[in-house]
Every structure is written in C-alpha cells, then in structure tokens.
Amino acid sequence: MNNIITEKKNTLEGINSRITEAEERISELEDRMFEFTAIEQNKEKRMKRNEDSIRELWDNIKCTNIYIIGIPEGEEREKGPERIFEEVIVKNFPNMGKDIATQVWEVQRVPDRINPRRNTPRHTVIKLAKIKDKEQLLKSTREKQQITYKGTPIRLTADFSGEILQARREWHDIFKVMKGKNLQPRLLYSARISFRFNGEIKSFTDKQKLREFSTTKPALQ
C-alpha cells in the first residue's frame, strides 16, 4: 500500500508539474498576445492619425477650390481660363462685380490630359485666394440655381476630398427616391441631405438619423 501511495503521489506531482508548466506557457502566450494586440492597436492609432493628418492637409489644400463643370474643351486656349471664370462671374453674378474674379490664384483642367473615351469636357478647378470668396460664390450659386456659360448650363461646386465624395455617393439611392416623391432633395456641403417635408426643411448627416426620423412618419417609410 505504501508503495502504491508513493507511486500515486509521484504521478500526481508529475501531473501537477506538467500543469504548472502548461500554465506558465499559457501565461507567456497571453503576454505575447497582449503585447501583439497592443502593438496592433498602436499601429492602428498611428495609421488613423496619419489618415487624419493627410485628410486635414488635403482638405486645407482644397478649402478655397471651386469646380466648374460643363465648360467646353478648347475655350481656355482661346481666352485663357481666368478670362472664362471672369465671364461666368460677371454674367451670372453681376452684383459681385469682378472682385472674386481678380482673386484667382490658379486655374487648371483636371485631369491634365484629354481622355478620347470621355464624352464630357474635363472639369475646371479654380483656386481662390480667400475661403470667404468661395463660400460667397457657392451661396450665390445655390440661390441662383442655374448657372450658364454662353447660354449653356454649367455647374459650380466645391472641390471635395475623396472621403466626402464617397459619403455623398452613399446618399444617391435615397436622393433618387426622394426626387421621385417630389420631396425636393438636395445634397449640402459636405455630405448632408436635405428635403422638404410637410412644409419644413429637414436635414440629416447620416442614414441612421434619417431612419429614426422616418419610423415616425408613414409617408417616408
């Protein structure tokens, strides 16, 4: 019996020893996983900070830019892009005079080269000296609703970053449905949708808030 008890005791001690070793290995693995997780989290934070910095820098670069859409190709070779912009301002916004037109820093077509497969003319990017001039011009554009160049309708809009463009595209389906329901939808800067409902203008920055509002309005469901 003593020999059996001693044997069992030695067996238990061996099992306990292996359990202890296994626990130590598990603890080491947990420590490594924690370190790896911390490294990944720090990496994600650095990437997020870098993305935010790039986005902020990009938006700062674009903050004074105006997009002109619809100017026929070749017009700038004949008159110069600054002259075209001046004609657009004077023709459509006579109260502004030439003040904004004289504050142009840079004008260019984008992309740089003509794509023969592209059926529409390239956009024209106007870089103004002051952001308040851009805001005033966009406000006047919204109030006038229709802008023309030589009798042809054109569009003036803000130069958006890639993130804002994607956010605006996400409203496309809802915008299309609202337009079909005569709700007079509009996409506002930077990525808000507004529409007229029961005589009031409603504005939303994301789809979830719009869903929450529509659940109480049978006409919108």
Side-chain angles (χ1 to χ4, degrees):
M1 290 295 293
N2 288 334
N3 291 336
I4 294 174
I5 291 173
T6 300
E7 184 180 349
K8 296 294 184 182
K9 184 178 180 180
N10 292 336
T11 302
L12 288 174
E13 288 178 352
I15 294 173
N16 289 333
S17 177
R18 289 194 294 271
I19 291 174
T20 301
E21 291 178 0
E23 289 177 343
E24 290 177 352
R25 290 181 181 179
I26 292 173
S27 178
E28 290 177 0
L29 290 174
E30 288 178 344
D31 292 341
R32 291 181 182 178
M33 288 181 62
F34 178 79
E35 292 176 359
F36 179 77
T37 302
I39 292 173
E40 287 297 311
Q41 289 177 346
N42 290 334
K43 182 180 178 180
E44 290 178 0
K45 289 180 180 179
R46 289 196 301 271
M47 290 178 63
K48 183 67 168 55
R49 286 196 298 267
N50 291 339
E51 289 174 356
D52 291 341
S53 298
I54 292 173
R55 185 182 298 109
E56 182 178 357
L57 176 61
W58 190 244
D59 288 342
N60 285 336
I61 292 173
K62 289 173 171 282
C63 68
T64 57
N65 287 6
I66 291 286
Y67 250 45
I68 304 182
I69 303 172
I71 299 294
E73 293 282 359
E75 288 288 316
E76 67 278 2
R77 290 197 298 270
E78 180 180 344
K79 299 181 178 180
E82 292 86 354
R83 177 61 180 171
I84 292 174
F85 181 61
E86 181 179 334
E87 288 184 8
V88 171
I89 297 300
V90 173
K91 178 67 176 179
N92 294 277
F93 312 106
N95 294 334
M96 290 185 180
K98 298 183 180 181
D99 294 338
I100 292 182
T102 58
Q103 298 298 318
V104 175
W105 275 8
E106 182 181 346
V107 183
Q108 66 180 45
R109 286 274 195 174
V110 290
D112 295 335
R113 296 182 179 180
I114 298 177
N115 184 352
R117 299 180 180 178
R118 184 186 178 101
N119 296 324
T120 57
R122 294 171 296 166
H123 300 338
T124 303
V125 178
I126 310 293
K127 187 173 183 61
L128 299 174
K130 300 177 181 178
I131 191 171
K132 69 175 184 179
D133 291 338
K134 168 187 174 179
E135 293 173 349
Q136 181 184 358
L137 183 55
L138 290 176
K139 180 181 178 182
S140 299
T141 299
R142 290 191 295 269
E143 293 173 350
K144 189 176 179 61
Q145 296 185 350
Q146 186 177 40
I147 312 299
T148 61
Y149 175 73
K150 292 185 175 181
T152 302
I154 61 173
R155 289 175 54 203
L156 269 66
T157 182
D159 185 8
F160 300 114
S161 65
E163 291 82 2
I164 293 178
L165 282 174
Q166 180 59 36
R168 292 170 70 87
R169 290 190 189 103
E170 292 178 356
W171 285 114
H172 177 73
D173 293 340
I174 294 177
F175 183 92
K176 190 175 180 180
V177 172
M178 286 184 170
K179 190 173 183 180
K181 299 295 183 181
N182 197 29
L183 293 173
Q184 303 175 23
R186 293 175 58 191
L187 284 176
L188 306 179
Y189 186 86
S190 56
R192 292 185 296 122
I193 193 168
S194 73
F195 58 94
R196 184 175 295 276
F197 183 73
N198 291 339
E200 297 181 3
I201 300 295
K202 303 295 182 181
S203 179
F204 297 90
T205 56
D206 59 69
K207 293 182 180 179
Q208 181 59 35
K209 292 182 179 179
L210 176 58
R211 291 191 190 99
E212 294 172 358
F213 176 77
S214 63
T215 55
T216 63
K217 310 293 182 183
L220 292 178
Q221 293 176 7

